[in-house]
Amino acid sequence: MSNAHLFLKSGFPRAPLQNGIGRYVCQLQRITLKYCKSSGSSKGMREFLEHELVDFSRANPGVAVYIKPRRHRTAVISAEFLNGERSWINCRNHSREEIAKWVQVLKQSNGHAEEMRLRKQWHTDVPSVQGPWTPFTHRHHSANTTEFPSEELSKLKITDPSATEKLLELYQAHREKASKSGESATDVVN
């Protein structure tokens, strides 16, 4: 077994600052698109800048977009979020559509690292002193030693025949009818 999880960030699965409860605030603060003007590996980034960047900027006025040309370097998307986290994506030889998808992924993420060791599966701002409720919380302890099905614990009476018993009765009636008429059981059905 690996101990790699010990070096991961740990935290609780929660929306930052109750985001989405009252209104949604985009967590992406700044995005920087770095590319080379002449390199073939930056072709997709150049096409994205020419065709889709203006539409993205108009659709997301709260996101600051920076363009940074660099010589002889690979294309990179760098993002900064409201919580101070930064992330970057290497876009070497990516197409225009792939870069558009990565920009949308960054816009919709909250800036937390993708790999996080969760301390608990749930989190509340005001934890309960009594503990979590379960269906067995207020049951009497005598149910632990009772043989089920039990007449005294059930709300319904068990005197009614079960579905299996009803099927057996129908089968017996069918066999009796077949034996009286002298036919086989399959002839009576047909």
Side-chain angles (χ1 to χ4, degrees), residues 14 22 31 40 47 54-55 80 105 118 120 123 138 146 162 165 189-190:
R14 58 187 292 191
I31 189 166
E47 289 178 358
V54 175
D55 295 334
E80 296 178 30
V105 165
L118 301 178
K120 296 180 183 176
H123 175 75
H138 302 295
T146 305
S162 67
E165 292 170 349
V189 172
N190 295 330

Side-chain angles (χ1 to χ4, degrees), residues 15-20 23-30 62-63 79-85 106-112:
L17 300 175
Q18 307 290 330
N19 196 12
R23 66 182 180 95
Y24 175 74
V25 177
C26 182
Q27 296 296 299
L28 182 62
Q29 180 180 15
R30 182 179 300 121
V63 178
E80 296 178 30
F81 297 92
L82 290 175
N83 61 358
E85 294 284 332
L106 289 171
K107 186 190 94 165
Q108 295 169 353
S109 66
N110 61 4
H112 290 294

Side-chain angles (χ1 to χ4, degrees), residues 3 11 25-27 43 48 94 96 103 126 137 155 182 186:
N3 289 334
V25 177
C26 182
Q27 296 296 299
K43 180 182 176 194
F48 174 80
H94 280 35
R96 172 177 129 191
V103 168
V126 184
T137 300
K155 294 180 182 176
T186 57

Side-chain angles (χ1 to χ4, degrees), residues 142-184:
S142 64
N144 294 335
T145 58
T146 305
E147 291 287 326
F148 290 100
S150 172
E151 286 274 344
E152 55 195 49
L153 292 179
S154 68
K155 294 180 182 176
L156 301 174
K157 297 291 182 186
I158 304 180
T159 57
D160 298 336
S162 67
T164 306
E165 292 170 349
K166 288 181 182 179
L167 285 174
L168 287 173
E169 288 175 10
L170 288 173
Y171 177 72
Q172 291 296 333
H174 180 69
R175 282 187 75 187
E176 289 175 10
K177 184 178 178 182
S179 65
K180 287 180 183 176
S181 64
E183 300 173 347
S184 67

